[in-house]
Amino acid sequence: MKKNLSYHNINEIPYLTWNWIKINRASLQAKVEEEIADCARVKNVPKGTKIFYDGDSKLNEIESCLPKTMEHKSSEDTTKIINSFAAKKMGILAQGECEAPLIINFDLKDGKTYCAKQSIVAEENANITIIFDYTSNKDADGFFALQTKIYAKQNSKIHLIKVQLLGENAIHLDDTQSLAEENASIKITQIELGSKKAFVNVTSNLE
């Protein structure tokens, strides 16, 4: 079954400028599959890293510890879109020094929809690199929506790498929110090389 998406304030910037520049916000008009495909594959889980999925009580604990101050106006429409689907959830907990990267591949099939939320928390003094790799066939259609929330506690380090190689007819919606406590470090590397339309937002808070 298809569903219609009609949103006009995606990625609204905090301080608006002249409308003719066309950077204040974006509009999304699309008809996409409502059923969520299963396309996420965890390739490598380094020592010191734990992953939790829907239905696991530990996932609720991770989500509940995310500070409310992470929310930004620029993410409102993205949140509405993702919440309108039965979005898949994942929690990632880093404890200690994670020597190898955590690698997750998302292989979106032609015409399918994938919609998900990730919560990433690094405990104090933890250090982790996470790679998200989004792929599909070169000419593939489809809708890929992701919202990632990152919380780095004191003296921890997180490096999140997102590589987007979706097909030339796909629509990509990606929202990353982060908060770093005192002496913590969050590095986000975003590589957008695919899709027909990409709506990408990164917002950060420092404490």
Side-chain angles (χ1 to χ4, degrees), residues 66 75 122 127:
L66 295 172
S75 299
N127 187 349

Side-chain angles (χ1 to χ4, degrees), residues 26 33 40 50 64 86 89 112 117 125 136 152 176 185 195-196 198:
E33 285 290 341
K50 295 181 179 179
S64 65
K89 293 184 178 181
K112 299 296 184 179
K117 294 182 176 182
N125 303 307
S136 61
T176 304
S185 170
S195 77
K196 182 178 181 179

